[in-house]
Amino acid sequence: MNGLYWFRHDLRLADNPALVALSKRCNQALMLYVIDPSWFKPNHFQSRHLGRFREEFLYQSLRALEKELKKSKQRLVVKVGNPLEIIPKLCEKHQIDLVATTEHPGFTERQQLGHLSKILPCEVMISESFTLFIKNQISFTKDNFPASFAEFKATISAQNLLPCIPIAKPDSLPPAIDESRDLWGGQEFVYDLTPYHGGEDSGFVQLNQFFWKTQGLKNYKDTRNRFDGWQCSSRLSAWLSNGTLSVRTVAAELDNYEYRYGKSPSTEMMYSELLYREYFQWMMHFHGKNMFAFDGIKKKRPLTSFYCENYKAWEQGTTDCPLVNACMRQLNQTGYMSSKGRQIVARYLVNTLNVDWRFGAAYFEQQLVDFDVATNYGNWQYLSGVSADSEHLLPLDIDKLAREYDPDGSFIAKWAESSPSVSLLRF
């Protein structure tokens, strides 16, 4: 039997049920990743799906995956184009009997798989490993999906749902099917992602660093809202977003940590953050394209009055608000912004500048090294008031937040000294 494995948001060998299943059934296989040129083209909101930081992180991850596959006498075949055109051609050329991949809650990702399942003459096997739980564990539907994270968390707790246990990497992989690959990852990058580095091994290193070596988890509850500092948060979101590290692996490591040291406010907060990510994944699963709608899943149209100058000032970090400017310059020059910073700049864009929230969400999609479609658009809907759980949001007191989270003004001062970021947008 000939197989084709389509890597998407699962760029790893460990905890990859679809890859294990394919390896057991196929005599030879093609390991495929498709780079879609549309990722690099501006959308309706003048931002690209894939910006420079996540692009480099992706290429690093693909190189690391290729290295791991070589250990099993396999190779990664990278194609550039539309996967809905490339995969059927490869299946016909190599007489593929089985296509396997990992399910992802993204609207586009699900549409692509649905289309392939209809047009391919071979079997299409889809496994779940991007989330803590699988469909059989989840009792929600679109009609009764929790309106708030608190309700989601309470339901999960009441039902005593436990995350799926991560599985080991395949014992071996089928021999490679001979197929040429397109040129990829040959760009010379002039920016530094350090200490980020894409790849499965790097993800495990960061997990070990945060949980065990530096004991960052021990003080997580107190440090997670700080604006800067590598050890203030787990920084695992970049590896989780492209699947070089599975969320189930993180949950299992957290369970191991609690077994050794006991539960604490920090470990409980860490698990709550994993559940928060999970909440948005299932929200995307059930609400689909409504996650991108102007009026949101709440069907409430916000009031906006778009001024190009206001938006460009926000995007470049040249507004009247020093804290917003510092956060945006940090994002533009590093690809990272803290969770608290993301909340502040989002609400400033929506509530103070009255800009359509989708411009901000699209810009985050382009800039963030750890962009995750469900988490990004779910959070932006919530902060802009078009999500089901947005009623209680109070007016933003940025001066108070600056005093609370940057009491000595060091964060603002650090980024005030940097040059305003060059706009990536063209109006």
Side-chain angles (χ1 to χ4, degrees):
M1 178 181 282
N2 291 344
L4 183 153
Y5 190 86
W6 182 20
F7 285 100
R8 301 195 298 166
H9 298 275
D10 54 351
L11 306 182
R12 63 182 185 272
L13 301 189
D15 195 30
N16 195 327
L19 184 61
V20 171
L22 178 138
S23 300
K24 291 179 178 179
R25 294 178 57 185
C26 296
N27 301 318
Q28 56 180 352
L30 177 68
M31 302 290 155
L32 176 70
Y33 187 85
V34 181
I35 296 175
D36 193 331
S38 67
W39 296 346
F40 306 94
K41 298 177 181 178
N43 56 27
H44 295 302
F45 303 101
Q46 299 302 304
S47 294
R48 298 184 296 161
H49 164 68
L50 190 64
R52 55 180 184 151
F53 296 109
R54 201 164 80 259
E55 180 185 1
E56 169 66 347
F57 192 76
L58 169 63
Y59 292 153
Q60 291 176 352
S61 300
L62 292 177
R63 294 185 192 110
L65 179 59
E66 164 79 352
K67 183 178 178 180
E68 289 302 308
L69 288 172
K70 281 184 177 179
K71 294 178 182 178
S72 298
K73 295 181 171 52
Q74 256 289 353
R75 63 194 294 267
L76 184 65
V77 174
V78 176
K79 295 288 188 179
V80 178
N82 184 343
L84 299 183
E85 298 174 356
I86 290 173
I87 293 176
K89 291 179 181 178
L90 290 174
C91 287
E92 181 180 6
K93 177 180 178 180
H94 297 291
Q95 298 181 330
I96 298 295
D97 304 295
L98 173 66
V99 172
T101 192
T102 299
E103 185 166 29
H104 187 274
F107 179 68
T108 300
E109 288 84 350
R110 295 182 70 195
Q111 273 196 322
Q112 288 178 333
L113 273 187
H115 182 70
L116 284 177
S117 298
K118 292 179 181 178
I119 66 172
L120 291 180
C122 61
E123 178 185 353
V124 178
M125 179 176 63
I126 306 169
S127 294
E128 299 177 71
S129 64
F130 191 75
T131 51
L132 290 172
F133 312 112
I134 60 176
K135 294 190 189 78
N136 289 344
Q137 293 177 279
I138 297 293
S139 60
F140 307 123
T141 65
K142 181 177 180 179
D143 294 332
N144 71 358
F145 188 76
S148 69
F149 169 66
E151 184 183 340
F152 176 83
K153 184 178 179 181
T155 303
I156 296 297
S157 177
Q159 295 178 352
N160 197 29
L161 292 187
L162 298 177
C164 295
I165 299 174
I167 64 174
K169 65 177 63 176
D171 295 329
S172 62
L173 295 174
I177 292 175
D178 187 26
E179 172 62 38
S180 64
R181 54 189 176 192
D182 298 338
L183 295 176
W184 60 284
Q187 293 85 342
E188 290 294 330
F189 294 97
V190 296
Y191 42 88
D192 186 10
L193 283 179
T194 305
Y196 280 112
H197 197 280
E200 185 172 5
D201 283 349
S202 297
F204 276 109
V205 167
Q206 177 59 22
L207 183 65
N208 181 63
Q209 286 274 341
F210 183 71
F211 275 61
W212 307 104
K213 191 169 183 179
T214 66
Q215 287 284 303
L217 178 58
K218 183 178 181 180
N219 302 309
Y220 178 67
K221 188 175 187 296
D222 297 324
T223 63
R224 68 187 186 91
N225 281 325
R226 293 181 184 173
F227 292 121
D228 215 348
W230 181 260
Q231 293 300 335
C232 292
S233 68
S234 74
R235 297 292 184 112
L236 294 171
S237 53
W239 287 275
L240 291 176
S241 66
N242 73 5
T244 41
L245 190 67
S246 84
V247 67
R248 298 170 187 180
T249 297
V250 178
E253 197 72 1
L254 178 61
D255 189 55
N256 186 21
Y257 185 94
E258 289 185 330
Y259 177 79
R260 182 171 178 178
Y261 294 111
K263 288 181 182 285
S264 70
S266 286
T267 62
E268 291 177 348
M269 179 60 69
M270 184 71 188
Y271 186 63
S272 183
E273 291 296 325
L274 295 180
L275 283 182
Y276 199 56
R277 174 189 183 275
E278 189 78 1
Y279 174 60
F280 286 127
Q281 304 306 317
W282 290 104
M283 180 185 292
M284 174 68 75
H285 174 82
F286 288 116
H287 289 285
K289 64 180 181 181
N290 288 330
M291 294 288 286
F292 309 101
F294 177 58
D295 55 1
I297 63 176
K298 192 177 181 179
K299 301 300 180 184
K300 178 182 178 181
R301 297 182 66 83
L303 297 176
T304 61
S305 52
F306 186 82
Y307 291 97
C308 174
E309 298 78 8
N310 288 346
Y311 178 69
K312 290 182 69 176
W314 177 85
E315 180 254 332
Q316 295 177 19
T318 56
T319 70
D320 293 333
C321 179
L323 180 56
V324 169
N325 295 342
C327 289
M328 293 303 296
R329 293 185 186 193
Q330 179 191 41
L331 171 66
N332 290 336
Q333 296 179 35
T334 70
Y336 172 79
M337 189 191 298
S338 69
S339 176
K340 182 60 66 175
R342 298 180 201 198
Q343 296 172 27
I344 291 170
V345 302
R347 292 183 62 184
Y348 184 85
L349 180 71
V350 172
N351 297 333
T352 302
L353 300 182
N354 297 317
V355 173
D356 183 340
W357 67 270
R358 294 173 298 176
F359 278 89
Y363 191 67
F364 270 24
E365 179 174 347
Q366 173 181 272
Q367 294 297 90
L368 287 171
V369 70
D370 64 352
F371 167 77
D372 172 86
V373 62
T375 304
N376 184 65
Y377 282 86
N379 268 314
W380 271 94
Q381 283 213 11
Y382 170 75
L383 294 168
S384 62
V386 298
S387 181
D389 186 30
S390 301
E391 292 290 354
H392 67 283
L393 290 179
L394 299 174
L396 195 64
D397 188 339
I398 294 183
D399 291 336
K400 178 182 178 182
L401 290 169
R403 291 192 299 270
E404 182 176 358
Y405 296 108
D406 187 31
D408 61 357
S410 59
F411 176 74
I412 291 177
K414 172 183 176 180
W415 293 102
E417 295 175 358
S418 66
S419 299
S421 303
V422 176
S423 175
L424 298 177
L425 300 182
R426 299 292 180 266
F427 290 94

